[in-house]
């Protein structure tokens, strides 16, 4: 009965009586998970996600991208963190589609981000309606990724100054052991901050800043002190102390950790990074083989700990596996990436009449799962688009 009451409560939160919401609920309730193919072409899935992301951008009037579409509350305010790393996606789409409007959108996003940078050089966490004053190291680094991509393309001097200030702030608050704790989520050091240091390393290489590179090296040393070389698992890769104690995490933060380790180590010339990510990937792929899907929470032995999928994590893992395939040519990684993408495609509502739903990627599948419950977050669409573009590029 508890499970039934919980589902009823979620249905009420998601305003299931609205026809478009009920249609999404019904589709996800009755769709059995299976390793089967979508009936739509890849280009239809890609275009649906692109159109949704553009609507998310248009939903905000400040140049940022709305954080999510919530079934009960509609579009939310701009999210600086994800607006930052959507900039490279806008630019990649501009090149792929030959659409200058996407360059204009990237520029608008840059202007928005410069307007919210804090005096200390950091950028605020959370969505802009919830916080304009408290800095976040992790979110700052994700924004740096977008601004670095823009600077490489434009040479914008104002962006360069913003990047230097952001990087210097991150170095100034790093703890002596290489971790980031001050201003971090729940003030808890987490190894998914590898996805922070990798962009600091990226910027260090771009600007020739040895202090940024050295901070990245110290952080990688700290991250690898929490590495289980047998399984490839990195302890402390979840959001909360409870996750850390249970040695579990959403696939979203697992993928942040693995991509961060891979990208940072490549930027620093550390060979162990790819080996560690390959070991972890083999464990996750074994789970995919056993279950025919990827549970949204995995533990340190790569066993499922959830009855829902984290679709953002699927798309991120696909990008990691495509990258490993490009590096070593092992078909197992390409095949796994394609399967992970297919599971996201099956959950994408392409014909829903509600513009805030149609073409977007739910946080969880089913949408009442525990990751970004009852909403379609902009970062899920971003990573799905990135994965679809990489699939297209690899042929």
């Amino acid at each position: 009965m508890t499970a039934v009451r919980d589902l009823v409560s979620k249905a009420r939160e998601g305003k299931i009586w609205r026809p478009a919401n009920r249609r999404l609920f019904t589709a996800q309730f009755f769709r059995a998970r299976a390793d089967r193919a979508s009936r739509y072409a890849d280009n239809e899935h890609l275009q649906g996600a692109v159109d949704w992301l553009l609507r998310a951008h248009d939903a905000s009037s400040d140049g940022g991208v709305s954080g999510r579409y919530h079934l009960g509350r509609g579009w939310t305010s701009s999210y600086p963190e994800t607006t930052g790393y959507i900039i490279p996606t806008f630019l990649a789409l501009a090149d792929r589609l030959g659409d200058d409007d996407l360059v204009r959108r990237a520029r608008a996003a840059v202007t928005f981000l410069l307007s919210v940078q804090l005096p200390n050089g950091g950028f605020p966490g959370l969505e802009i309606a919830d916080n304009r004053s408290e800095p976040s190291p992790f979110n700052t680094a994700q924004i740096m990724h977008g601004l670095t991509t823009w600077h490489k393309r434009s040479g914008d001097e104002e962006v360069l100054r913003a990047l230097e200030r952001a990087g210097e702030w991150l170095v100034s608050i790093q703890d002596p052991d290489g971790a980031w704790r001050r201003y971090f989520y729940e003030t808890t050091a987490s190894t998914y901050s590898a996805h922070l240091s990798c962009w600091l390393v990226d910027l260090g290489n771009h600007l020739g800043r040895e202090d940024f590179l050295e901070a990245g090296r110290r952080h990688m040393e700290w991250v690898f002190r929490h590495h289980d070389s047998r399984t490839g698992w990195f302890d402390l890769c979840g959001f909360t102390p409870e996750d850390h104690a249970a040695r579990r995490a959403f696939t979203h933060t697992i993928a942040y950790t693995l991509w961060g380790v891979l990208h940072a180590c490549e930027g620093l010339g550390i060979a162990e990074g790819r080996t560690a990510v390959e070991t972890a990937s083999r464990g996750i792929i074994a789970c995919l083989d056993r279950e025919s899907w990827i549970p949204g929470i995995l533990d340190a032995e790569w066993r499922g700990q959830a009855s829902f999928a984290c679709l953002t994590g699927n798309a991120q893992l696909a990008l990691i596996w495509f990258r490993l395939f490009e590096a070593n040519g092992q078909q197992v990684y390409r095949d796994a990436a394609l399967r992970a993408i297919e599971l996201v495609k099956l959950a994408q509502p392409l014909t829903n009449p509600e513009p805030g739903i149609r073409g977007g990627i739910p946080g969880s599948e089913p949408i009442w799962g525990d990751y970004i419950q009852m909403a379609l977050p902009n970062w899920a669409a971003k990573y799905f688009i990135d994965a679809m573009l990489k699939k297209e590029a690899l042929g």
Side-chain angles (χ1 to χ4, degrees), residues 79 81 85 126 136-142 178-199 219-220 222-224 226 233-241 243-244 248-264 316 320 371 383:
Y79 196 175
E81 176 200 358
Y85 62 47
L126 305 177
S136 164
F138 187 82
N139 296 26
T140 294
Q142 310 318 302
W180 273 278
R181 294 179 179 84
R182 279 178 285 176
Y183 305 107
F184 212 82
Y185 183 67
E186 296 202 359
T187 63
T188 299
S190 300
T191 52
Y192 73 83
S193 54
H195 208 264
L196 179 171
S197 60
C198 73
W199 306 124
H219 187 64
M220 280 299 104
W222 178 81
V223 167
F224 270 91
H226 301 282
W233 175 263
F234 286 90
D235 276 316
L236 315 185
C237 68
F239 277 128
T240 67
D243 289 335
H244 296 175
R248 69 187 179 213
F250 287 115
T251 54
H252 175 48
T253 55
I254 291 170
Y256 267 160
T257 307
L258 298 182
W259 178 276
V261 167
L262 185 60
H263 193 68
Q316 291 173 277
I320 292 166
Y371 181 74
Y383 280 115

Side-chain angles (χ1 to χ4, degrees), residues 132-186:
R132 285 180 174 268
S133 59
E134 185 73 9
S136 164
F138 187 82
N139 296 26
T140 294
Q142 310 318 302
I143 292 167
M144 281 169 41
H145 169 40
L147 295 180
T148 300
T149 304
W150 179 258
H151 184 258
K152 288 177 180 178
R153 188 179 184 112
S154 69
D156 188 317
E157 287 295 319
E158 186 180 8
V159 168
L160 173 60
R161 291 191 293 273
L163 282 166
E164 289 176 326
R165 291 175 56 220
E168 288 163 3
W169 179 71
L170 287 174
V171 171
S172 74
I173 63 164
Q174 186 180 28
D175 288 340
D177 65 354
W180 273 278
R181 294 179 179 84
R182 279 178 285 176
Y183 305 107
F184 212 82
Y185 183 67
E186 296 202 359

Side-chain angles (χ1 to χ4, degrees), residues 4 20 80-81 103 123 176 214 225 247 302 367 390 392:
V4 173
E81 176 200 358
V103 179
F123 287 88
E214 180 55 32
R225 287 200 286 274
R247 304 188 78 200
W302 306 117
I367 200 166
K390 177 56 71 173
E392 181 181 85

Side-chain angles (χ1 to χ4, degrees), residues 60-78:
S60 292
S61 60
D62 54 17
V65 183
S66 170
R68 69 203 75 191
Y69 180 84
H70 188 277
L71 297 188
R73 299 189 296 273
W75 293 107
T76 62
S77 65
S78 293

Side-chain angles (χ1 to χ4, degrees), residues 168-325:
E168 288 163 3
W169 179 71
L170 287 174
V171 171
S172 74
I173 63 164
Q174 186 180 28
D175 288 340
D177 65 354
W180 273 278
R181 294 179 179 84
R182 279 178 285 176
Y183 305 107
F184 212 82
Y185 183 67
E186 296 202 359
T187 63
T188 299
S190 300
T191 52
Y192 73 83
S193 54
H195 208 264
L196 179 171
S197 60
C198 73
W199 306 124
L200 188 59
V201 168
D202 221 28
L203 183 59
N205 281 323
H206 177 52
L207 301 182
R209 290 286 299 258
E210 183 57 39
D211 53 338
F212 295 173
L213 295 173
E214 180 55 32
R217 288 189 193 95
R218 288 200 308 274
H219 187 64
M220 280 299 104
E221 290 171 1
W222 178 81
V223 167
F224 270 91
R225 287 200 286 274
H226 301 282
H227 179 231
D228 183 338
S229 60
R230 178 180 64 86
T231 64
W233 175 263
F234 286 90
D235 276 316
L236 315 185
C237 68
F239 277 128
T240 67
E242 292 76 22
D243 289 335
H244 296 175
R247 304 188 78 200
R248 69 187 179 213
F250 287 115
T251 54
H252 175 48
T253 55
I254 291 170
Y256 267 160
T257 307
L258 298 182
W259 178 276
V261 167
L262 185 60
H263 193 68
C265 287
E266 287 182 356
L268 294 167
I270 300 172
E272 293 89 337
R274 188 193 299 171
T275 301
V277 173
E278 287 176 342
T279 302
S281 293
R282 287 194 294 272
I284 301 170
I285 292 168
C287 177
L288 172 58
D289 288 340
R290 286 193 309 270
E291 306 290 344
S292 295
W293 67 293
I294 306 173
I297 298 174
L298 298 173
D299 69 11
E301 298 293 329
W302 306 117
R303 296 172 299 206
Q305 300 294 316
S307 59
F308 63 90
C310 171
L311 298 175
T312 307
N314 274 33
Q316 291 173 277
L317 289 169
L319 285 163
I320 292 166
W321 295 337
F322 279 140
R323 187 161 177 169
L324 292 178
F325 171 69

